[in-house]
């Protein structure tokens, strides 16, 4: 078996790899928006938001899988069946992309004629993640006024905490 590093794919495989990256990028934004919703809903359920509530971001990122976050959301906020189904589909798609996409499409990557179908599938995954993230953001926008804290202050605190973690501080 040829290793990934030495495997030569047709030029058109670049589009597949680019769309894979775009889909996973959208999946990470969904996860980030879900974490923001988790923190916001938890703060709301605890009687209001404080800036110290955003410190939970690190714990959620480092110790919670996407599946666990979705499971915990059930106890924090009610969502429509459509949103729940969208999130479950997004979880399944993210797991498929992260854990088995290249294994299950190994042969198709070697065949130029299959690349268009792979790209279309990845574009659909990216759209699914974007829809799932938008639903989480809509819920955050609904919950923020219930926190008793200025919305821009809450969002700025979340953003500051994210940047602190990103920079390793």
């Amino acid at each position: 078996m040829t290793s990934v590093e030495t495997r030569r794919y047709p030029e058109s495989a670049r589009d597949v790899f680019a769309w894979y990256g775009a889909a996973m990028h959208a999946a990470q934004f969904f996860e980030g928006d879900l974490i923001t919703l988790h923190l916001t809903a938890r703060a709301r359920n605890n009687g209001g938001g404080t800036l110290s509530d955003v410190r939970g971001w690190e714990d959620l990122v480092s110790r919670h899988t996407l599946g666990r976050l979705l499971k915990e959301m059930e106890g924090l906020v009610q969502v429509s069946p459509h949103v729940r189904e969208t999130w479950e589909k997004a979880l399944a798609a993210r797991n498929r992309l992260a854990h088995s996409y290249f294994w299950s499409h190994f042969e198709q990557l070697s065949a130029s004629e299959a690349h268009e179908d792979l790209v279309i599938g990845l574009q659909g995954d990216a759209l699914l993640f974007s829809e799932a993230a938008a639903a989480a953001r809509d819920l955050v926008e609904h919950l923020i006024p219930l926190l008793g804290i200025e919305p821009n202050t809450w969002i700025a605190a979340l953003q500051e905490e994210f940047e602190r973690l990103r920079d390793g501080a």
Side-chain angles (χ1 to χ4, degrees), residues 77-109:
V77 65
Q78 290 186 345
V79 298
S80 72
H82 173 74
V83 169
R84 173 76 51 217
E85 181 180 340
T86 300
W87 288 352
E88 288 171 0
K89 286 180 181 178
L91 171 63
R94 204 278 302 171
N95 286 345
R96 177 181 45 79
L97 289 176
H99 301 296
S100 66
Y101 184 80
F102 290 108
W103 290 112
S104 62
H105 294 94
F106 183 76
E107 293 299 324
Q108 290 172 295
L109 281 168

Side-chain angles (χ1 to χ4, degrees), residues 31-45 53 56-57 59-60 64 68-74 76-77 87 136 140 143 154 158:
E31 187 169 8
D33 287 332
L34 198 63
I35 289 169
T36 300
L37 174 58
H38 191 288
L39 292 172
T40 305
R42 191 170 64 189
R44 190 266 331 251
N45 292 350
D53 288 325
W57 179 279
D59 178 58
L60 290 172
H64 285 63
R68 183 172 171 194
L69 282 171
L70 286 172
K71 187 73 172 158
E72 288 183 6
M73 289 307 300
E74 294 174 11
L76 291 173
V77 65
W87 288 352
V140 168
L143 291 175
W154 180 253
L158 288 169

Side-chain angles (χ1 to χ4, degrees), residues 109-125:
L109 281 168
S110 298
S112 297
E113 60 275 3
H115 293 168
E116 185 177 346
D117 288 340
L118 293 175
V119 167
I120 290 169
L122 290 165
Q123 289 170 335
D125 290 333

Side-chain angles (χ1 to χ4, degrees), residues 46-62:
N46 289 338
T50 66
L51 297 183
S52 64
D53 288 325
V54 301
R55 291 292 179 172
W57 179 279
E58 185 171 19
D59 178 58
L60 290 172
V61 170
S62 64

